[in-house]
Amino acid sequence: GVTSNGTFAAYINNTTSANVGLEADPNFNGTVSDISVRLTDPDRSVNGKGLVVQGTIARTPVAPGAELMGYSGFSASNYLEQPYNPDLDFGTGDFCVMGWAKVSDTTVQYLLDRTDPTGATEGFGIALNPSDMLLTKNNNNVLSVPHGSAFNSWGFFCFSRNNGKTTGFINGASVGSIDDFNNYSILSGPLMVGRSAERRGTVAFYRGSIALLRIGATAPTPEQIAKIYRDEKKLFQPGAACTLYGDSDAVTALAHDDTKGLDLVGTSDGLSRFDG
């Protein structure tokens, strides 16, 4: 797929072998140099485009004994980065950014930032200050919504644009909206999670934990966002299980228990029961 000079990223989901091969197409007429292989945190959507681990990032349970992991330990040199991904060029269309955050220090800091390599043009960013959560564009606030004390413990956030109106949600409830016709596409530039791009020599990094981060080219309804919050907050309780039993993720059977309201998932290793 290489048709011009430049730097290109390829994502390889290699969990069964220590070996990765590179092979040129017979019609390729060019030179490949400066190959590097980096550890990534997997993208669990169908797109399969992971985030490169820059430096060191901690993954710890969101509560004692819980299976869900939160990411922390961010700094100017420790963060997650996805190379330029055109899937995130939403233009003037619908999109959403959502996830869970926990932070005690709410000085100005960025949870994520998608900016061109010079730091001059920002596609979009999500930032926190002591009283508000911000959706930003070109280092300017598009929408600021109050968060109160929502992130003193694990709290849910969502910014969603639907037909030119962007709404902010905190813990499933709408807390502000604005008419928004910004073009959120940029010609190049990575997505950085846990810090901002460097602007005027300054990096605003995130000082808390984040979990279940998602970005998509659709706008869930307010009812769907409220349901996402209600369903997912159970995962942040002590001892909460959320993974398939055993080592296999190949689902061989599905069923629903109407009496107990449980979803039953079978693999070669056994049966898992999910509530909600």
Side-chain angles (χ1 to χ4, degrees), residues 88-173:
L88 303 183
D89 284 334
F90 302 125
T92 57
D94 293 352
F95 74 97
C96 66
V97 181
M98 67 177 72
W100 291 77
K102 178 183 178 182
V103 62
S104 56
D105 175 4
T106 53
T107 55
V108 177
Q109 53 191 289
Y110 270 76
L111 280 79
L112 60 90
D113 194 19
R114 185 171 187 254
T115 305
D116 74 42
T118 68
T121 304
E122 182 184 42
F124 56 85
I126 303 291
L128 274 173
N129 67 29
S131 59
D132 299 309
M133 177 169 267
L134 319 169
L135 172 66
T136 63
K137 168 71 177 175
N138 292 337
N139 212 28
N140 296 311
N141 297 343
V142 175
L143 176 62
S144 301
V145 296
H147 59 69
S149 59
F151 302 120
N152 288 352
S153 56
W154 283 103
F156 175 78
F157 68 88
C158 176
F159 285 94
S160 175
R161 181 166 69 179
N162 186 1
N163 292 325
K165 182 176 289 292
T166 294
T167 303
F169 299 82
I170 301 294
N171 285 344

Side-chain angles (χ1 to χ4, degrees), residues 25-26 44 48 50 57 59 70 86 89 96 104 107 129 167 179 184 223:
D25 184 277
R44 292 173 174 83
I57 296 297
R59 291 200 308 177
D89 284 334
C96 66
S104 56
T107 55
N129 67 29
T167 303
D179 292 335
Y184 288 101
E223 293 76 16

Side-chain angles (χ1 to χ4, degrees), residues 44 59-71 211-212 234-246 272-274:
R44 292 173 174 83
R59 291 200 308 177
T60 56
V62 297
E67 291 184 342
L68 180 64
M69 294 289 154
Y71 296 74
L212 295 176
K234 302 172 186 176
L235 301 175
F236 293 83
Q237 302 301 312
C242 62
T243 62
L244 291 170
Y245 172 77
S272 302
R273 298 171 176 85
F274 292 95

Side-chain angles (χ1 to χ4, degrees), residues 79 192 199 220 233 253 275-276:
Y79 56 97
M192 289 177 285
R199 301 188 182 96
K233 69 179 181 179
D275 180 9

Side-chain angles (χ1 to χ4, degrees), residues 5-276:
N5 293 333
T7 301
F8 299 87
Y11 297 91
I12 302 169
N13 182 16
N14 185 34
T15 59
T16 60
S17 172
N19 301 315
V20 175
L22 179 67
E23 182 175 328
D25 184 277
N27 297 317
F28 178 70
N29 182 17
T31 301
V32 177
S33 63
D34 298 323
I35 297 172
S36 65
V37 179
R38 303 291 300 275
L39 175 69
T40 66
D41 196 71
D43 171 7
R44 292 173 174 83
S45 77
V46 296
N47 297 299
K49 297 180 178 179
L51 283 82
V52 176
V53 180
Q54 303 286 12
T56 303
I57 296 297
R59 291 200 308 177
T60 56
V62 297
E67 291 184 342
L68 180 64
M69 294 289 154
Y71 296 74
S72 61
F74 301 104
S75 71
S77 57
N78 297 304
Y79 56 97
L80 299 170
E81 180 177 8
Q82 184 184 72
Y84 173 67
N85 178 4
D87 294 339
L88 303 183
D89 284 334
F90 302 125
T92 57
D94 293 352
F95 74 97
C96 66
V97 181
M98 67 177 72
W100 291 77
K102 178 183 178 182
V103 62
S104 56
D105 175 4
T106 53
T107 55
V108 177
Q109 53 191 289
Y110 270 76
L111 280 79
L112 60 90
D113 194 19
R114 185 171 187 254
T115 305
D116 74 42
T118 68
T121 304
E122 182 184 42
F124 56 85
I126 303 291
L128 274 173
N129 67 29
S131 59
D132 299 309
M133 177 169 267
L134 319 169
L135 172 66
T136 63
K137 168 71 177 175
N138 292 337
N139 212 28
N140 296 311
N141 297 343
V142 175
L143 176 62
S144 301
V145 296
H147 59 69
S149 59
F151 302 120
N152 288 352
S153 56
W154 283 103
F156 175 78
F157 68 88
C158 176
F159 285 94
S160 175
R161 181 166 69 179
N162 186 1
N163 292 325
K165 182 176 289 292
T166 294
T167 303
F169 299 82
I170 301 294
N171 285 344
S174 170
V175 287
S177 64
I178 191 172
D179 292 335
D180 178 11
F181 301 100
N182 281 292
N183 186 334
Y184 288 101
S185 295
I186 55 176
L187 296 179
S188 62
L191 169 72
M192 289 177 285
V193 175
R195 58 160 278 182
S196 70
E198 186 167 342
R199 301 188 182 96
R200 297 182 294 277
T202 300
V203 172
F205 64 88
Y206 181 51
R207 295 170 175 83
S209 302
I210 191 168
L212 295 176
L213 177 64
R214 285 145 291 173
I215 304 174
T218 58
T221 66
E223 293 76 16
Q224 289 171 324
I225 292 171
K227 185 178 188 303
I228 290 170
Y229 165 68
R230 292 194 304 268
D231 287 348
E232 292 182 354
K233 69 179 181 179
K234 302 172 186 176
L235 301 175
F236 293 83
Q237 302 301 312
C242 62
T243 62
L244 291 170
Y245 172 77
D247 298 324
S248 173
D249 62 0
V251 175
T252 57
L254 289 170
H256 181 72
D257 184 337
D258 292 325
T259 303
K260 297 181 179 180
L262 300 177
D263 293 316
L264 310 177
V265 182
T267 70
S268 59
D269 288 330
L271 182 66
S272 302
R273 298 171 176 85
F274 292 95
D275 180 9

